[in-house]
Amino acid sequence: MIKVAIISGDSSTTGVPSHVATLSRGLDKKKFEVLVICPPGPLVGTLKKHHILCKEIKMRGVLDRAGDHKIRQELMNFKPDIAHFHGMRAGWLVRLAARKLKNVKKIYSEHQWVNEL
């Protein structure tokens, strides 16, 4: 079974959390074990409603050392094959948290890129 940790720095009802909920619900439960890490908020309720393993971690900003440490602990406990993180806050925190986790494939999805010409 492939273990996937999906991390979002946003737990509202907007785009990224909605995408994370859809992605985590859509993965084949026979092939993937999923853990979602996100801040407290509506996303947590949605995930629990669909019986998706979820860990709530406050993420105060891109340099939140406490958040970084807690994310690292959850990743070390879960031992994912893949860490897929969404948005800038989660992107920075997970890159810090997962930097010493070898053999974990890391995927970063940016959802709010703005190209200013």
Side-chain angles (χ1 to χ4, degrees):
M1 180 155 312
I2 298 170
K3 296 176 87 170
V4 180
I6 301 173
I7 303 97
S8 173
D10 182 1
S11 188
S12 67
T13 58
T14 60
V16 171
S18 177
H19 174 74
V20 167
T22 301
L23 179 62
S24 60
R25 283 193 327 255
L27 290 172
D28 185 341
K29 306 275 186 280
K30 294 176 185 173
K31 296 179 183 177
F32 298 95
E33 182 179 351
V34 177
L35 165 66
V36 176
I37 299 173
C38 63
L43 176 59
V44 175
T46 300
L47 296 169
K48 288 182 179 180
K49 176 180 157 187
H50 293 282
H51 308 288
I52 296 166
L53 180 61
C54 177
K55 298 292 182 173
E56 296 177 63
I57 296 177
K58 290 182 182 177
M59 300 179 201
R60 293 181 177 89
V62 297
L63 297 177
D64 178 4
R65 299 300 291 164
D68 161 27
H69 177 72
K70 289 176 184 175
I71 292 168
R72 181 179 305 110
Q73 288 302 117
E74 290 299 336
L75 292 174
M76 288 173 61
N77 290 338
F78 185 65
K79 297 178 178 68
D81 298 295
I82 300 168
H84 187 187
F85 31 106
H86 298 264
M88 188 173 75
R89 183 182 315 167
W92 278 103
L93 288 174
V94 177
R95 287 190 66 122
L96 290 172
R99 69 186 177 276
K100 293 183 180 178
L101 300 177
K102 305 298 181 207
N103 302 320
V104 176
K105 291 180 178 42
K106 299 162 190 84
I107 302 167
Y108 173 63
S109 295
E110 178 56 60
H111 292 268
Q112 205 171 27
W113 180 258
V114 177
N115 186 11
E116 296 180 13
L117 298 176

